[in-house]
Structure formats: C-alpha cells, structure tokens
Amino acid sequence: MKHLIFIFLLFPLLLTSQDQSMIDSLKTVLEKSDNDSIKTMLLINIGNQYIKWDYEEANQNFKKALSFALKSNSKTLQAQSLISIGIIHRKQGKYNIALQFFEKALKIREEIGDKKKVAITLLHIAILHSSQGKREKAMKYQQQALEVRKDNN
C-alpha cells in the first residue's frame, strides 16, 4: 500500500519532468529558427505543454505565437493562436474574454474558407457556453458546427 501511495505521489512529478523535457527541446528549436511561421507553431506547442499546469506561462507563449503569426501574415496561424488564447481564458473562467478570442478566430477562419476549422471553432464556442450553463446557446453552436461539417462533405 505504501508503494502505491508513493507511485501516486511521484507520477505527477514524472509527468512534469517529461513535459519539461519536451518544452526544453521545443525551445532549443525555437532559438535556432528564423522563420516566423515555424516560431508560431513552436510557441503554440510550448504553450500546449504549459497549459497542463501553468496557465500564465501558456498564455504568454500563445501571445508570442500570435505576434509571430501576425508578422508572418498567416491567417491560419493567427486563428490557431487566438483559439489557444481563448482556451486559456475559458479554463480560467474568463468567459467573455475567451468568447472574444474565439469570435476573432471564427471570423478569420470564415474569411479564408476553412470549413473544417470553422466547425471546430463553433464547437469551442459551444463548450464555452456549456461551461457557463447556457445549454440552449451551446446546442445552437453545436448545431451550426454540424451544419458546416455536413456542407463541407
């Protein structure tokens, strides 16, 4: 029984250690890159590692990613960065701020005609409304996502 408790307590440390190793690797590649699009993708991946335990650090990486996405003029990466920032705010219970980021990403994805990502963004908005107990609104956005996916097939 003592061994089980020890393993249970040690497991999060092992997970964090693996995550930190991944972050270190990504940062090494980031330092060597001179391509803004690649930097954006790396920063999003670094943020996705931090999101597991450090929202502030994740958010800073997502904001840096957005900055590089704007410099690279990649609408796809701009939208992905906005979604990532929105997810952080949703997880922190900052629903109105999260919705603003999701709506900006939705607009970009609609402009570039990425129907699959439009549907995914609509689902992020549905999850946001569901998190607030707004079931009717959540269902509305889920239905919109389904319609977009149907139209895309």
Side-chain angles (χ1 to χ4, degrees):
M1 182 65 158
K2 288 181 183 179
H3 291 15
L4 241 139
I5 293 171
F6 178 73
I7 291 171
F8 181 74
L9 293 174
L10 186 60
F11 186 73
L13 295 176
L14 293 174
L15 203 60
T16 303
S17 174
Q18 290 173 345
D19 293 338
Q20 190 59 52
S21 177
M22 173 65 81
I23 290 168
D24 292 342
S25 297
L26 291 168
K27 284 182 176 180
T28 298
V29 176
L30 178 65
E31 289 171 6
K32 295 177 181 178
S33 178
D34 58 356
N35 181 296
D36 289 338
S37 293
I38 292 173
K39 286 181 181 182
T40 302
M41 291 184 283
L42 289 166
L43 286 162
I44 289 170
N45 284 324
I46 292 168
N48 285 335
Q49 294 300 312
Y50 277 116
I51 204 169
K52 298 170 189 173
W53 77 89
D54 188 342
Y55 291 158
E56 282 308 310
E57 190 65 34
N59 197 27
Q60 287 189 15
N61 280 280
F62 293 145
K63 286 180 178 179
K64 287 178 190 173
L66 179 58
S67 175
F68 282 111
L70 290 166
K71 283 172 58 176
S72 73
N73 206 25
S74 169
K75 296 288 187 185
T76 301
L77 292 174
Q78 288 171 27
Q80 185 57 50
S81 299
L82 291 165
I83 289 292
S84 297
I85 295 168
I87 290 170
I88 288 287
H89 289 293
R90 180 181 52 80
K91 287 180 174 279
Q92 292 177 318
K94 300 175 184 174
Y95 300 119
N96 291 335
I97 296 170
L99 183 58
Q100 291 173 7
F101 283 100
F102 291 151
E103 287 174 340
K104 287 178 186 177
L106 180 61
K107 183 178 178 186
I108 291 170
R109 287 175 167 174
E110 288 173 338
E111 286 172 2
I112 62 176
D114 190 343
K115 299 288 186 188
K116 183 178 179 183
K117 297 289 183 162
V118 166
I120 291 169
T121 306
L122 289 167
L123 289 174
H124 279 292
I125 295 171
I127 292 167
L128 176 111
H129 288 302
S130 180
S131 297
Q132 297 176 79
K134 298 178 181 178
R135 304 285 183 236
E136 293 293 320
K137 264 191 164 178
M139 289 177 59
K140 175 186 146 195
Y141 281 97
Q142 287 174 339
Q143 187 62 40
Q144 285 179 349
L146 183 60
E147 293 300 321
V148 169
R149 289 295 291 161
K150 281 182 185 177
D151 292 344
N152 195 34
N153 290 332

